[in-house]
Amino acid sequence: MRSFTLALSVSPMTVRKGKRLGISIQEHMAIDVCPGPIRPIRQISAYFPRLSPTSSFSEPLSPNQVAAPTALSPSSAGQGGGATGGGGSSSLLSPLLPGAAGGGGSLSAMSSMDTSIEIDSCDSDDNTSLGTLEFDLLYERATSSLHCIVLRAKGLKPMDFNGLADPYVKLHLLPGACKANKLKTKTVRNTLNPVWNETLTYCGITEEDMYRKTLRVSVCDEDKLTHNEFIGESRVALRRVKPDQTKHFNICLEHPPPLPSPTAMSTALRGISCYLREWETEQQRSLEERGRLLLCLQYFPPASDGNVKGEAKERARGGLCVGVKRCAHLAAMDVNGYSDPYVKTYLKPDVQKKSKHKTAVIKKTLNPEFNEEFFYEITFSELATKTLEVTVWDYDLGKSNDFIGGVSLGCHSQGETLQHWIDCLKNKGKKVERWHTLTNELPGSTLQE
């Protein structure tokens, strides 16, 4: 045969013997060259087969078999090459099909190619390792402190253009994650295997918190010009940590767990429903937590020796000493994310309104330290009928101050507050120190600044 005609999207052209046929890459990638109407290519990767290591056929395809479908010379087109009649030109730039030239294992080859493409295309974040994090947890019962010793991370996911990251670790206590209970390590620059060896401490953590709360440990990448990027996290139930015993953790970072939500709701309603669901699980704690307060109570019985002077003489007559030590994880009341807290104490009922005491204001903090003491001269029998009310406020210049939270201690209180009050009355002359949870309202109290 001296010449043949190739069907293209342009006018037919004649290829003479001895001349090489030229096909542009645009035509090669856009059409399937074969007799009949022009069809789009089903899968371009079929022209560039990549054999999977897990191939289902025993012998790899020979170079002739791989090259046969893309032969362009007139001689190969005229040989028939396993095709019948004038269908030899149908193998030009055609994908491997069942029954085509060299077709002993072409079907299995196609299935193997498809399999290898699916395997190699798994390049999403869900299939990429986020890295591991190593840290220790220690709960000290005597000081009500939870220490998290952040040691190191390994094999973190690259987040920057240079293939590295600038990682730091962030801690939150759940439920109730907020700025007040967020702790953060320093940032280690340009590494995927950072070492921190840094201790982060939560104060005012009660044994009830250790049973009820969860520690969320997050690893993030710091970006100076844009928002910081999330790498991965892990959540640890604090009830796994025994008091006064260090527990070591070496965990794989994970993506944040998806929130359960009804499928019929819109995105906004799903978010609201998830919030309500979490709120319902916290119904056992009917009052909102607003922070922690460390109080020290000490009752002084009347002294038998009358030869005392000064402050000791005042306390010799007997009374209650209230020590306001510090607060932790207070609610933020100002637009800058902080508060200007101070503490007020009352011994109620206060008919003459002389029992009010107030600490100094500590500016711009959610974890203030006061270390102030107030003395109430009162007999032991009268104390049994009184209620100590301690409130925390945010100072605002030029307008009314904001109430942060408070706690009431007396014979009519409940839980930890009642136990603290009873221990104070039983252990006369001894200091009894305990952390209390601030609530946003006090039963039977009229809050006034």
Side-chain angles (χ1 to χ4, degrees), residues 205-264:
I205 304 299
T206 63
E207 293 189 34
E208 181 185 0
D209 292 328
M210 294 298 295
Y211 178 78
R212 186 175 62 92
K213 287 187 175 289
T214 298
L215 181 66
R216 179 192 181 196
V217 186
S218 308
V219 181
C220 300
D221 170 61
E222 181 179 292
D223 287 325
K224 293 183 178 180
L225 301 180
T226 60
H227 295 290
N228 297 341
E229 296 179 293
F230 178 84
I231 298 178
E233 72 167 33
S234 182
R235 304 191 180 196
V236 179
L238 294 183
R239 59 176 171 268
R240 297 174 56 187
V241 181
K242 297 181 179 180
D244 302 317
Q245 295 183 19
T246 302
K247 186 172 182 61
H248 182 74
F249 293 88
N250 190 359
I251 45 124
C252 292
L253 298 176
E254 302 172 348
H255 294 280
L259 292 175
S261 57
T263 57

Side-chain angles (χ1 to χ4, degrees), residues 7-10 26-44 47 87 89-98 100:
L8 294 174
S9 59
V10 295
Q26 289 84 356
E27 294 170 331
H28 172 77
M29 300 298 288
I31 61 173
D32 185 2
V33 182
C34 62
I38 298 174
R39 300 190 304 272
I41 294 177
R42 284 177 47 254
Q43 191 172 10
I44 295 178
Y47 292 96
S89 59
S90 65
S91 63
L92 295 176
L93 286 175
S94 298
L96 292 173
L97 297 173

Side-chain angles (χ1 to χ4, degrees), residues 102-394:
S106 58
L107 179 60
S108 60
M110 273 298 297
S111 62
S112 175
M113 293 170 198
D114 294 341
T115 304
S116 66
I117 292 169
E118 291 178 2
I119 294 174
D120 295 340
S121 63
C122 292
D123 195 26
S124 64
D125 289 342
D126 294 334
N127 297 311
T128 304
S129 174
L130 301 178
T132 61
L133 180 65
E134 194 172 348
F135 61 94
D136 294 335
L137 290 179
L138 171 63
Y139 175 65
E140 293 182 351
R141 179 182 291 168
T143 59
S144 299
S145 300
L146 176 64
H147 305 282
C148 180
I149 303 95
V150 183
L151 301 176
R152 65 185 64 84
K154 293 182 180 180
L156 294 181
K157 178 183 176 182
M159 304 299 292
D160 297 336
F161 290 113
N162 59 2
L164 301 174
D166 303 320
Y168 66 91
V169 176
K170 200 167 50 171
L171 304 182
H172 285 101
L173 282 177
L174 303 176
C178 62
K179 186 180 181 68
N181 65 34
K182 181 184 76 172
L183 298 179
K184 176 183 169 184
T185 67
K186 63 184 179 181
T187 302
V188 182
R189 302 287 177 185
N190 296 324
T191 181
L192 299 180
N193 301 284
V195 177
W196 289 284
N197 288 326
E198 191 171 342
T199 301
L200 305 176
T201 301
Y202 281 105
C203 298
I205 304 299
T206 63
E207 293 189 34
E208 181 185 0
D209 292 328
M210 294 298 295
Y211 178 78
R212 186 175 62 92
K213 287 187 175 289
T214 298
L215 181 66
R216 179 192 181 196
V217 186
S218 308
V219 181
C220 300
D221 170 61
E222 181 179 292
D223 287 325
K224 293 183 178 180
L225 301 180
T226 60
H227 295 290
N228 297 341
E229 296 179 293
F230 178 84
I231 298 178
E233 72 167 33
S234 182
R235 304 191 180 196
V236 179
L238 294 183
R239 59 176 171 268
R240 297 174 56 187
V241 181
K242 297 181 179 180
D244 302 317
Q245 295 183 19
T246 302
K247 186 172 182 61
H248 182 74
F249 293 88
N250 190 359
I251 45 124
C252 292
L253 298 176
E254 302 172 348
H255 294 280
L259 292 175
S261 57
T263 57
M265 291 186 175
S266 64
T267 304
L269 293 179
R270 286 201 300 266
I272 295 174
S273 67
C274 294
Y275 168 77
L276 293 176
R277 206 174 279 117
E278 181 179 348
W279 178 80
E280 289 174 357
T281 60
E282 291 299 310
Q283 280 298 300
Q284 56 181 352
R285 306 188 61 84
S286 58
L287 301 178
E288 181 186 355
E289 291 186 12
R290 307 300 291 271
R292 299 300 172 87
L293 172 66
L294 179 59
L295 285 179
C296 179
L297 301 182
Q298 183 179 11
Y299 179 76
F300 291 93
S304 57
D305 187 4
N307 298 325
V308 290
K309 298 180 180 180
E311 183 180 349
K313 182 178 181 180
E314 181 185 33
R315 298 188 178 186
R317 294 195 290 266
L320 177 67
C321 179
V322 179
V324 181
K325 297 296 184 179
R326 61 180 298 180
C327 293
H329 321 312
L330 293 179
M333 308 301 291
D334 297 336
V335 293
N336 59 5
Y338 295 95
S339 295
D340 303 321
Y342 66 94
V343 178
K344 292 192 303 180
T345 64
Y346 293 91
L347 198 58
K348 295 184 175 182
D350 183 20
V351 179
Q352 299 180 351
K353 298 183 178 180
K354 293 183 178 180
S355 67
K356 175 182 174 181
H357 291 286
K358 186 167 69 173
T359 68
V361 177
I362 309 296
K363 295 286 186 178
K364 198 177 179 182
T365 181
L366 300 177
N367 300 279
E369 293 190 19
F370 300 101
N371 293 319
E372 297 188 34
E373 290 185 348
F374 308 110
F375 184 79
Y376 294 97
E377 185 177 339
I378 187 174
T379 63
F380 187 79
S381 58
E382 291 176 333
L383 190 61
T385 62
K386 296 286 186 178
T387 298
L388 177 66
E389 183 177 289
V390 185
T391 55
V392 183
W393 297 77
D394 168 56

